[in-house]
Every structure is written in structure tokens, then in C-alpha cells.
DNA sequence: CAGGTTATTGACTGAACACTCAAGAACTGA
DNA sequence: TCAGTTCTTGAGTGTTCAGTCAATAACCTG
């Protein structure tokens, strides 16, 4: 009774993510998106509605991928070290040094709709919570005396700066030093 | 023999900075700039050459202002604490939460000319050096055993993340915790 | 195989963009 | 006051943008 979609939604989503990740929201044109997805403008709009809708698809995909990459089986300081190490690794292994889709888009968010801005906020919050969870666990098992909120903030800040400075093309050595500095700070602040 | 400029170069520079700081490079239109400066397109182009040239004027102004704001008479850990505290204060007291012009522009820099990209890199490097100078001094006066490069990186990362998360609208409390976390880490790592 | 529904196509629209330029205005030095 | 130079003006240029739509193609059900 109907004609089915001629494209794979997953592949198209991956194409949208690739394009927006490289160029950001505003500087990604519809021609860019047709090239990245293989779909023509009409199909894109029929399937998604608007350019911002396409962007939110990319953001959702991105956050899912990050969530998967940063979830760890480890506990305690080892988990923290592993997570920050993963952030460095993800940042550096990307030859294009695209950094974090969400953080890259923050400066643009003032010109986007409420819905899109909220999607970006939610993505940022989720990454924050992801780190908090690891550190809360460290704190409870260590009967910490140090200010845990400070450590949480420091480690979140470390992760954020690694992603941002990664896009800025800074050396792997610097990014790794930020990660190492944060874990060293946690180690010193917490009784083992 | 000649007709003099009918505008104050300083005021126009301030207008360019205000506009680019709020909207970034790409999303600042020439009409935006004419409104911010009071000059018409022809005058802007006659005076500066191109939109990117105008942007570099704004970047230079911005870096100068930051340099002035972050230069401190203090020494040792007090200097570090003061500098990071100033970063928090500058970030939070801006009602528009514009963050850092240079960091905001990093994601856009791939689409800019080499000259502009280098200007942004130079601005970032200068801010990095500014923090390094404070910490090197801390290290030499304290006969540190800790890894100074790590601490430098951690504090630079803290400053970067404060600016970025400031633009993202995060609470003053979080930003201050990042600063406090970094100074606490320095205090713990260095013998006093 | 045929009717009905949906997907795809790609030329098209109006708006916004960065940038230009010919004309006129404003000032200085003589 | 006037000649000479530079500055200012703002309409205009060609391009690119996000988004649309009438026509056509593809598919499923009966």
C-alpha cells in the first residue's frame, strides 16, 4: 500500500552527525547535508522537517555514542583515570580534531530555538552527570574529607577543556597532562 | 589637504568587539556591524578591508583587555588564586555570558583564513603563557617535587573550562568550584 | 496486474549574505 | 574662496542560503 523509505535511517543519521560535527550548525549548508547523506533536499525535509530537527538528530546520536564510550566497569580512582584517559584518546584519535559536537555548538546556541538549546543543555548535563557518578563513588568508598564538589567540578572542567583544546589543535601531551593533573589531584585529595 | 575620519577608531573597535563577542564570526552580519559601530558598509570596508580584518581587530582588542585584566602583582599561590578568581568574576559579571571570544571562535576557525586562524591561536597561546608564568613562579619559590607541567596544564584547563561553561550558562557556584579545585590541587601538590 | 499511497526528485523562491562603487560631501592648504 | 584629496553614502551586485512543491517514480495490497 505504501512505498517504503529508500534509505537507511541509521546511515543518514551518521551522515548528519559527520557533517554537523565537522562544520557546526550554522556553517553546515543543505548542500553539505545532501552530500553527507546522499539524500536530496526534498527528502531531507520530508524525513526531518527542518535543519534544526536534523541537527537534533545529530546531537542525540552524538550523546549516545559518548555515553557508550564513557561508561566504565571500573570503580574508584581507576574509573576516573580511565574515563579521563578515554576522553583524551577519543579527542586525539580523531584526525580532524572535531572536538565535542555539543561544546562546539554552545557559542551558536544563542541563535537556535529553545528546543535545540535545551537538547544541547541536556547533552552537556548528561556528560556532567556521567563524571559525577564516577567521583561520587570514589568519595563514598574513601570516606573522603576533601571537598567532593570541588573535585567533581575540577574533573568535569578537565574533561571540557580537553575537548575544547583538542579542537583547538593543542598537543596530545597537553591534553594528557590535564587528565593526569586531575587524577593526581583526586588521588592527593582522597585517602586511600 | 585631506578630509579626516569622521569616527573614533577606538569606539568603532569597541563596537566590532561587542558584536563579534556576542554572535561569533559567521553569525555577525554586516548590518550587525553597521549597527554596532554606526558606520555604513562602505566606510567599514574602506577602513578595514574585509569582514575577517574587522574580526581580527576585535580579537586584538579582546586579547589586550584580557591581558590587562589577568596581569597580577601578587606572587605564589595567591597569584594563582587571584587569577583564577578573576576569570570566574569576569565570566559571571557579564550579563550576556558571552564567555571568551577566542574560545568561542575556535570551532569556526576551520572555515577562516590562515591569518585569522593564526590570530586566534596566538590569542590562546598568550592566555596559556599568562597562566604558566604565574605557576612557574610558584614552582621555583616552592622547590616543588610535583609535576609542574601537570599543574600548569590543570590550571590552564580550569581557566578554559570556566570560560566555556560560563558561555553555556552554568552556575557561578560550579565555575567557582573549578577555580577552587585547581588552587586546592596546587596547594596540595606544592610544599609551602 | 492495477489502484492507491507514499517517497523521491531537482528546479525554484524569496531572503540574506559579503562586498562594491559612482556620486557627492567635507575638510585642508594655499 | 577654491582646488585637491579623502571620506561617506546607500543603492546595487552576484552568490548562497533554507526551505518548497508539482511532477514522477516506486512500492504494497488486493
Amino acid at each position: 500500500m505504501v512505498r517504503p523509505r529508500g534509505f537507511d535511517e541509521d546511515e543518514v543519521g551518521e551522515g548528519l552527525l559527520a557533517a554537523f560535527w565537522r562544520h557546526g550548525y550554522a556553517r553546515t549548508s543543505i548542500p553539505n547535508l545532501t552530500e553527507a547523506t546522499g539524500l536530496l533536499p526534498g527528502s531531507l525535509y520530508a524525513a526531518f522537517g527542518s535543519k534544526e530537527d536534523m541537527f537534533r538528530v545529530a546531537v542525540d546520536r552524538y550523546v549516545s555514542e559518548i555515553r557508550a564510550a564513557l561508561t566504565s566497569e571500573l570503580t574508584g580512582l581507576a574509573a576516573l583515570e580511565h574515563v579521563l584517559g578515554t576522553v583524551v584518546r577519543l579527542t586525539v584519535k580523531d584526525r580532524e580534531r572535531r572536538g565535542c559536537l555539543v561544546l562546539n555548538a554552545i557559542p551558536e546556541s544563542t541563535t537556535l530555538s529553545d528546543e535545540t538549546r535545551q537538547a544541547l543543555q541536556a547533552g552537556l548535563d548528561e556528560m556532567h552527570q556521567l563524571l559525577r557518578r564516577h567521583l561520587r563513588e570514589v568519595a563514598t568508598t574513601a570516606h573522603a574529607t576533601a571537598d567532593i564538589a570541588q573535585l567533581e567540578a575540577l574533573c568535569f572542567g578537565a574533561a571540557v577543556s580537553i575537548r575544547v583544546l583538542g579542537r583547538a589543535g593543542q598537543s596530545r601531551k597537553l591534553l594528557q597532562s590535564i587528565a593526569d593533573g586531575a587524577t593526581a589531584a583526586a588521588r592527593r585529595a582522597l585517602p586511600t
Side-chain angles (χ1 to χ4, degrees), chain A:
Chain A
M1 198 90 143
V2 301
R3 172 180 177 181
R5 289 237 159 107
F7 59 87
D8 181 282
E9 290 215 32
D10 228 50
E11 281 175 23
V12 169
E14 207 57 49
L16 293 176
L17 174 53
F20 282 122
W21 201 349
R22 181 152 42 224
H23 300 117
Y25 175 77
R27 292 172 313 287
T28 302
S29 65
I30 301 300
N32 288 152
L33 294 175
T34 67
E35 193 182 1
T37 60
L39 299 187
L40 290 166
S43 297
L44 282 172
Y45 278 89
F48 298 101
S50 73
K51 191 183 164 192
E52 284 206 23
D53 290 325
M54 300 174 211
F55 184 62
R56 279 194 299 275
V57 167
V59 169
D60 290 346
R61 267 194 102 80
Y62 175 80
V63 171
S64 294
E65 290 184 8
I66 288 291
R67 189 189 302 126
L70 293 192
T71 298
S72 160
E73 309 282 322
L74 300 171
T75 60
L77 282 170
L80 178 65
E81 193 166 1
H82 177 257
V83 167
L84 289 179
T86 302
V87 173
V88 172
R89 213 172 313 119
L90 287 177
T91 305
V92 169
K93 90 169 177 196
D94 180 1
R95 298 165 68 314
E96 298 186 84
R97 287 295 195 102
R98 289 170 300 178
C100 170
L101 174 74
V102 172
L103 291 170
N104 294 346
I106 294 282
E108 305 194 67
S109 67
T110 49
T111 56
L112 300 174
S113 69
D114 286 358
E115 199 178 348
T116 306
R117 215 175 314 126
Q118 280 164 22
L120 289 169
Q121 270 301 334
L124 185 62
D125 288 346
E126 178 163 349
M127 298 181 214
H128 190 179
Q129 293 304 329
L130 226 142
L131 273 178
R132 284 172 86 100
R133 214 169 300 134
H134 283 118
L135 252 173
R136 284 228 179 278
E137 186 195 308
V138 174
T140 50
T141 61
H143 305 91
T145 57
D147 187 335
I148 293 303
Q150 248 177 43
L151 267 184
E152 280 175 5
L154 187 66
C155 292
F156 181 47
V160 166
S161 60
I162 287 165
R163 293 299 262 169
V164 171
L165 293 173
R167 173 112 194 181
Q170 297 286 325
S171 72
R172 177 186 190 127
K173 191 174 151 195
L174 177 68
L175 307 187
Q176 188 66 55
S177 291
I178 295 173
D180 293 345
T183 55
R187 207 184 315 276
R188 273 192 284 267
L190 298 173
T192 34

